[in-house]
Amino acid sequence: MSFASKVVIVTGASDGIGAATAIKFTKEGADVTLVGRTEDKLAKVAAECAKHGKNPLVIKADVSKDEEAKTIVARTIQTFGKLDVLVNNAGIFFLDDIMKPNFMETFDSTMNTNMRAVALITHLAAPHLVETKGNVVNVSSIGATMVKYPNFVSYKTSKAALNHFTRSLALELAPHGVRANLVSPGPVYTDIFNKAGLADFVSDLKTETALKRVGEPDEIADVILFLASEKARSVTGSDYLSDNGSLLM
Ligand code: NAD
């Protein structure tokens, strides 16, 4: 899957799925913009990318802050002259409780990062994607369609909204030759669980998948690259599960 001469933005590229995706795109010849909040982590991913002969553009930005999010597409165009693929991957995941006083704080921050930021960045990217007949890959979750575990109302709602947003986007941009798709991972070994104080939860989920395993970031990155590639030229408005059969259970 060659991405030579393609320009790709990956948000949340400092860790986990985003880092694996950015490195894989670089390996396949793309010029990549890495977006994240933590400079030292971004520098490590940039160094990995550089091993494949390409220096990425590194943008330190919090996607939930409009002024910072607005720089992402502008700086990418300034540096590389165009945009072919937008991967909206940055996401947060926290336990919440509808009865707790801080519920709305968690709800707002989750919606701002997982949904509103995607809308803003996609809005700014769309004219450039129309020019290149590019595409968007949004990283959702099986939580968008499954409500098996309580206390993730904010997360699941944000991802359900993202799914609807992506399908609507696919329809709206199809006349311009631009595709938009979703990847919905099941449990994947990344720091997202540690950040939520749920380090053990992810391993426990192994027994709850049909294949009795938890995914790796690379496996999700492979699906993202497929969807972004010419091989998927007939695929738009789709939701690709990579969940080891979680939703079969
Ligand atoms: P992670 O915590 O390892 O990585 C998330 C990345 O997003 C990090 O680089 C983080 O800094 C970044 N990020 C978060 N908020 C940001 C903000 N406001 N501005 C800029 N960057 C921000 O987690 P991950 O598991 O790699 O998650 C990537 C995506 O995959 C998320 O959208 C998540 O919801 C989704 N997902 C993960 C799993 C899983 O089991 N790991 C399952 C389903 C869906």
Side-chain angles (χ1 to χ4, degrees), residues 14-15 17 37 62-63 89 140 155 159 186 188 190 193 195:
S14 58
D15 276 308
I17 294 167
R37 293 168 300 179
D62 179 335
V63 297
N89 164 76
S140 185
Y155 183 75
K159 294 299 191 181
V188 180
T190 71
F193 292 97
K195 292 170 191 167

Side-chain angles (χ1 to χ4, degrees), residues 53-237:
K54 293 259 182 185
N55 283 317
L57 170 65
V58 175
I59 301 181
K60 181 180 179 295
D62 179 335
V63 297
S64 71
K65 295 184 178 151
D66 281 10
E67 288 318 308
E68 294 184 26
K70 280 179 185 167
T71 64
I72 296 165
V73 173
R75 286 190 55 198
T76 300
I77 299 298
Q78 222 171 39
T79 305
F80 297 125
K82 63 166 186 160
L83 175 65
D84 297 283
V85 179
L86 170 63
V87 182
N88 287 304
N89 164 76
I92 54 172
F93 164 80
F94 289 112
L95 280 171
D96 57 21
D97 184 331
I98 196 82
M99 307 239 266
K100 288 267 168 71
N102 71 346
F103 173 74
M104 285 311 297
E105 269 167 51
T106 311
F107 186 82
D108 285 341
S109 63
T110 305
M111 291 301 282
N112 281 342
T113 301
N114 294 6
M115 181 60 250
R116 190 179 186 286
V118 173
L120 174 60
I121 297 166
T122 307
H123 159 66
L124 296 170
H128 301 286
L129 294 171
V130 166
E131 270 182 34
T132 56
K133 298 205 184 308
N135 67 83
V136 180
V137 182
N138 288 336
V139 181
S140 185
S141 165
I142 55 169
T145 47
M146 174 194 82
V147 289
K148 189 170 172 184
Y149 306 101
N151 298 108
F152 298 110
V153 171
S154 306
Y155 183 75
K156 288 183 284 195
T157 304
S158 71
K159 294 299 191 181
L162 181 65
N163 284 17
H164 219 58
F165 173 84
T166 308
R167 284 191 294 268
S168 304
L169 183 73
L171 187 63
E172 190 165 329
L173 294 183
H176 301 284
V178 174
R179 301 181 295 106
N181 289 289
L182 294 151
V183 176
S184 289
V188 180
Y189 287 117
T190 71
D191 277 350
I192 204 166
F193 292 97
N194 303 337
K195 292 170 191 167
L198 293 167
D200 296 336
F201 183 57
V202 65
S203 301
D204 295 347
L205 291 176
K206 199 186 282 186
T207 57
E208 304 208 14
T209 68
L211 294 175
K212 304 296 175 219
R213 65 186 295 278
V214 166
E216 297 290 344
D218 259 1
E219 297 165 3
I220 310 303
D222 282 335
V223 181
I224 294 172
L225 263 76
F226 165 70
L227 287 172
S229 78
E230 260 301 292
K231 286 183 191 291
R233 61 190 170 276
S234 65
V235 182
T236 196

